[in-house]
Amino acid sequence: MLVIHRSKKIDALVKLFEAYCNNLTKSIGEIDIKDQALWYNSNSDIAYFNFLSLIGVSVNFLEVSSLLEKAKASKVPFIAMAHNSLIDIKQLLSQELSYKGNLHGLHFNLRYDLMQYDAHPAAKVIEVKTAEQYYEWVDIFSHAYDLNREQVEKAYNSALAEDSQLILHIMQVYQKTVACSLSVKDGEKVLLLWDTVLPMYRRQGLGSMMILQRLFDFQEQGVKDVFSLGFYSSYDLARSVGFKHLVTLPFYRYDPPIADEE
């Protein structure tokens, strides 16, 4: 029974990540989905905007090989993540790409009462609704991940559309924007991504507040299950507010070879 429940949760995580990539295509790029494997190409040179996602437990080796060749032929840097149990897939990726560590998928059951927290007296979590708020979100995101601002703005501008499944938040302290986050909502399920706080404002409880405030809001909207994907720091933060570990995802990166100079 426990295995079945875990499998269903992983299936839900797969669908949420597909929704994330599908929404990105409304701004830039294209997507190729094969069962529980997908390749999203933003056509940009930012590796974190090009994904080979193999999160599911029933990924087909031949389909993955096909998507991998397609991704390499695109001649853009990209990241790949695979379910930890997919031994043959991990061997394939490790032969072609550079291993960079582990991502972690987590789950939070919103059917129960949430833990209470002491909010920072001067901090406020704001859902992005206006162009001005969106530009502030882009500024924080670009600064935090050292990315080109124009490319970030172009990648996520579909989030302002009424039918978008992407929900952006910023956090302000004394009316200064210091943090940002992205959520993907699909019915009664939500995926949290890209939670970040500017370095000089960390270790003040702002990250926990940003997550918990969104959980309270989503609970009021009828959301039942919340998922998260993150590296070590965001993994520890999510665990500290009650998220449970769901899956480990070895994480790889591909950089196209530099063309020989003529």
Side-chain angles (χ1 to χ4, degrees), residues 31-65:
I31 190 171
D32 187 348
I33 300 177
K34 298 182 183 298
D35 193 16
Q36 291 191 331
L38 73 81
W39 160 240
Y40 169 73
N41 179 13
S42 70
N43 296 311
S44 77
D45 59 358
I46 300 178
Y48 288 90
F49 288 174
N50 304 314
F51 314 107
L52 181 61
S53 171
L54 315 168
I55 300 175
V57 295
S58 60
V59 177
N60 181 281
F61 183 86
L62 294 179
E63 290 180 348
V64 172
S65 298

Side-chain angles (χ1 to χ4, degrees), residues 69-86:
E69 290 306 310
K70 184 174 183 178
K72 292 167 58 182
S74 300
K75 298 183 179 179
V76 296
F78 64 87
I79 61 172
M81 50 188 173
H83 193 289
N84 195 47
S85 70
L86 302 173

